[in-house]
């Protein structure tokens, strides 16, 4: 009886809060020029100081409002900001259709809100509008503070640096495209290997990113951060682009609207293709080629449902000069752009099928159901130690795999009210299954002959997950976001090198809580605290080797920061943070062995600044300082090899009304320890790039210059023990891949 009475009171309180204020405002935001709905538009209810971002259907809703007159302010980066009066009556829903007109970007229109995700997405929108994306590498560098290095002929996934991590190729950052994971778990080369070269830069519409392990809808590999890329739903015009430049570089892009629908209610189908080839700037030509194709369909199948279907395929092949030792260059044995083993290289391909159905419920909720499939092939030939292990044939290795990925992501989101407070709830669940066949590490000769297999087998890895997140506005100034995520893994490995094809299976689950607080101190100052636990799974071959022990190392993170707009034209994001990682074991794909990683801690300060100097000139800068340390090592021997300590990216961007746009940008990476006692230094560098574009009528003309000052610099660096063919004893020193010299590319594009 007592329990029933309590439940009745709770029910009454909740329902009283839900219906005491019955007026609502809902609406849809459109692009006036294209008629397309706008995802992530910024809508503010001035009287209540409540802000919302439009959802996947371009819609927003303010519920449980007192009757009266309100003012809606709607803005989106690169569009004219508008204000619209709205009258709310009890028991009614005021429904609006609002169109925004494209305009020259103005930071004056940017507003700081309680919604942390909206604040971050504002920085993303500013960058996409202003920073030309000329290459697939530029796609990743949209994330503030993220650095990349290419060190295997252009076709291999980039080495990633973020928040004091040498992330290798994706171990501690979660990447996705249109909701489909990019990272490859238990990969032949390295855990989380992420090859984004299958994305055509011109197809990118928006980027959602953030740093730290604080986001309930992101699970495995989200420790240093995440980045989600979304491609265009439809094309405004057909587009054809041709590029050419030094070192035998040629690129062509075609984007074609196949249905030519006249309104957003009509279905859309477009085809995008890209072909790229270059010989590269090395003494031995790279013969690098890449072919991309994307076919994407988008249709509103009913009044409340939207369907997206896409199919893409990507193939790439290249030769590489690999990493070279300093001593070989200094002795004159090879040049700065030479090679010890120029038979390195690789080939890879990926085919994706992706389907998403978005359903709007009668009460304004949003249900998303997604299913995806990928077929992936990979072969990489490398030689890091030359003749250290095999003085006759050399130490060349080949890593290969064939993989199929099956997955599903499903979520429900809705606004509601709790005791009169604005709230939103999201639930999600899904799975990912990786079927990796013949994952192999072989000792090879001149890329043609397999001398022996060092590791070989089949991997089956399953990740089932579920999460829930609640966002609650505690007052007009204070909001709380709390979430809980559960991931369950099954690791299955068959070792093909054992006599009976030994099979080992391990499983484990992990719970990841998240908590964020956001405080709107003033109209232009938001203060926040983010905290949470994240993780990255270890390679399946590590899991079975360690009998399931310490296979899901946790990451404990906290950010304390602010979004601040001190003047109309200046936006600042400043954060102090710390991230601690548990003990882990790492599978070294280049050697086929398991090594202990050890506990680590990283703490630092991130600064992002966006400033509009004039109507057409913009300044942006990201500076990131980190103190990375190994926890269990003695002082002076606790450096984390290759972990960056200070990085900065920035420059000037301009957009004029007479068609000119471009940028002058720098990338700075400071000196960092290359080994545990800092006795070997990986030298830093500063590189300046420039872009100039001119748009006239239906034509675009462009010039893209890498390394404008023609600095000699080393892009990827490692402290490696190796032996050359004429050496009696091995030498441990810096091995590097040279960065690009001055390189100019010219382009012409046409819209039709």
């Amino acid at each position: 009886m007592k329990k029933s009475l309590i439940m009745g009171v709770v029910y009454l309180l909740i329902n009283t809060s839900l219906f005491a204020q019955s007026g609502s405002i809902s609406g849809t935001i459109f692009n006036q020029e294209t008629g397309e709905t706008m995802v992530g538009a910024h809508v503010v209810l001035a009287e209540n100081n409540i802000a919302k971002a439009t959802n996947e259907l371009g819609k927003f809703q303010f519920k449980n409002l007192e009757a009266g007159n309100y003012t809606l302010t709607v803005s989106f980066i690169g569009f004219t900001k508008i204000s619209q009066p709205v009258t709310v009556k009890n028991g009614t829903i005021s429904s609006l259709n609002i169109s925004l007109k494209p305009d020259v970007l103005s930071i004056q229109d940017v507003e700081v809100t309680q919604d942390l995700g909206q604040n971050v997405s504002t920085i993303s929108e500013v960058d996409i509008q202003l920073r030309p994306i000329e290459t697939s590498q530029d796609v990743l560098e949209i994330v503030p503070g993220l650095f990349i290095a290419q060190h295997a002929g252009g076709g291999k996934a980039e080495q990633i640096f973020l928040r004091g991590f040498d992330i290798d190729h994706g171990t501690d950052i979660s990447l996705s495209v249109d909701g489909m994971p990019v990272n490859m778990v238990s990969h032949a080369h390295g855990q989380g290997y992420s090859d984004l070269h299958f994305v055509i830069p011109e197809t990118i519409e928006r980027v959602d990113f953030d740093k730290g392990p604080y986001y309930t809808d992101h699970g495995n590999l989200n420790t240093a951060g995440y980045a989600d890329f979304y491609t265009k739903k439809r094309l405004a015009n057909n587009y054809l682009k041709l590029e050419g430049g030094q070192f035998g570089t040629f690129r062509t892009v075609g984007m074609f609207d196949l249905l030519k629908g006249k309104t957003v209610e009509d279905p859309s189908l477009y085809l995008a293709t890209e072909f790229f080839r270059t010989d590269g700037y090395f003494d031995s030509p790279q013969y690098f080629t890449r072919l991309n194709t994307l076919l994407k369909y988008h249709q509103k199948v009913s009044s409340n449902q939207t369907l997206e279907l896409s199919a893409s395929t990507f193939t790439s092949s290249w030769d590489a000069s690999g990493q070279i030792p300093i001593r070989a260059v200094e002795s004159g044995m090879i040049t700065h752009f030479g090679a010890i083993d120029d038979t390195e290289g690789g080939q890879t391909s990926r085919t994706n099928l992706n389907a998403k159905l978005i359903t709007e419920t009668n009460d304004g909720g949003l249900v998303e159901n997604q299913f995806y499939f990928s077929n992936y092939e990979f072969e990489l030939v490398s030689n890091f130690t030359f003749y250290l292990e095999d003085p006759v044939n050399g130490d060349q290795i080949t890593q290969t795999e064939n993989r199929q990925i099956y997955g599903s992501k499903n979520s429900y989101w809705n606004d509601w009210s709790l005791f009169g407070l604005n709230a939103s709830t999201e639930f999600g669940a899904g799975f990912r299954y990786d079927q990796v066949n013949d994952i192999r590490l072989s000792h090879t000769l001149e890329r043609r002959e397999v001398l022996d297999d060092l590791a070989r087998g089949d991997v089956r890895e399953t990740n089932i997950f579920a999460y829930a997140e609640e966002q609650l506005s505690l007052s007009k100034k204070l909001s709380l976001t709390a979430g809980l995520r559960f991931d369950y893994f099954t690791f299955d490995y068959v070792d093909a090198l054992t006599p009976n094809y030994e099979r080992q299976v391990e499983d484990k689950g992990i719970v990841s809580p998240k908590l964020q607080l956001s405080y709107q101190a003033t109209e232009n100052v938001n203060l926040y605290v983010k905290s949470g636990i994240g993780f990255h799974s270890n390679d399946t071959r590590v899991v079975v080797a360690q009998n399931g022990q310490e296979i899901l190392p946790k990451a404990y993170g906290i950010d304390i920061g602010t979004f601040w707009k001190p003047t109309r034209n200046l936006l600042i994001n400043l954060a102090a943070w710390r991230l601690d990682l548990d003990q882990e074991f790492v599978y070294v794909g280049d050697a086929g062995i398991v090594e202990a990683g050890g506990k680590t801690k990283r703490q630092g300060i991130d600064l992002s600044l966006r400033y509009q100097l004039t109507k057409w000139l913009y300044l942006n800068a990201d500076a990131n300082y980190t103190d990375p340390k190994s926890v269990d090592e003695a002082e002076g021997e606790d450096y984390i090899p290759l972990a960056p300590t200070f990085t900065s990216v920035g420059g000037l961007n301009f957009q004029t009304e007479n068609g000119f746009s471009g940028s002058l940008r720098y990338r700075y990476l400071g000196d960092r320890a290359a080994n545990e006692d800092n006795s070997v230094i990986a030298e830093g560098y500063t590189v300046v790039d420039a872009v100039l574009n001119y748009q006239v009528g239906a034509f675009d003309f462009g010039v893209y210059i890498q390394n404008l000052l023609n600095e000699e610099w080393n892009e990827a660096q490692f402290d490696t023990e190796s032996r050359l063919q004429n050496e009696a004893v091995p030498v441990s020193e810096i091995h590097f891949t040279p960065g690009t010299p001055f390189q100019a590319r010219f382009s012409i594009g046409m819209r039709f």
Side-chain angles (χ1 to χ4, degrees), residues 728-747:
V729 295
V731 177
S732 181
E733 65 173 356
I734 288 290
H735 293 54
F736 69 92
T737 301
T740 178
F742 179 96
Q743 180 178 8
R745 289 163 57 176
F746 303 88
S747 67

Side-chain angles (χ1 to χ4, degrees), residues 136-181:
S136 55
Q137 290 95 323
D138 294 335
V139 172
L140 266 176
E141 289 187 332
I142 289 176
V143 179
L146 188 147
F147 248 74
I148 61 171
Q150 176 56 257
H151 59 102
K156 184 180 176 183
E158 279 78 18
Q159 184 182 10
I160 302 172
F161 301 98
L162 180 66
R163 280 205 158 179
F165 281 86
D166 172 9
I167 296 177
D168 194 17
H169 301 287
T171 308
D172 287 285
I173 184 170
S174 172
L175 302 173
S176 73
V177 175
D178 288 333
M180 182 173 52

Side-chain angles (χ1 to χ4, degrees), residues 39-113:
V39 179
H42 190 199
V43 186
V44 178
L45 195 62
E47 287 75 11
N48 291 19
N49 193 33
I50 302 173
K52 293 184 179 294
T54 52
N55 63 25
E56 292 289 330
L57 301 178
K59 296 187 176 184
F60 69 92
Q61 189 170 35
F62 296 98
K63 296 181 179 179
N64 305 306
L65 300 175
E66 294 180 357
N69 296 319
Y70 293 85
T71 302
L72 280 182
T73 301
V74 184
S75 62
F76 196 90
I77 298 297
F79 288 77
T80 302
K81 181 178 179 180
I82 67 170
S83 294
Q84 181 164 328
V86 184
T87 299
V88 174
K89 298 179 181 179
N90 286 328
T92 65
I93 299 176
S94 300
S95 185
L96 306 171
N97 289 326
I98 301 174
S99 296
L100 297 184
K101 181 181 179 181
D103 196 2
V104 176
L105 184 148
S106 175
I107 292 181
Q108 292 182 13
D109 294 336
V110 172
E111 296 190 32
V112 175
T113 74

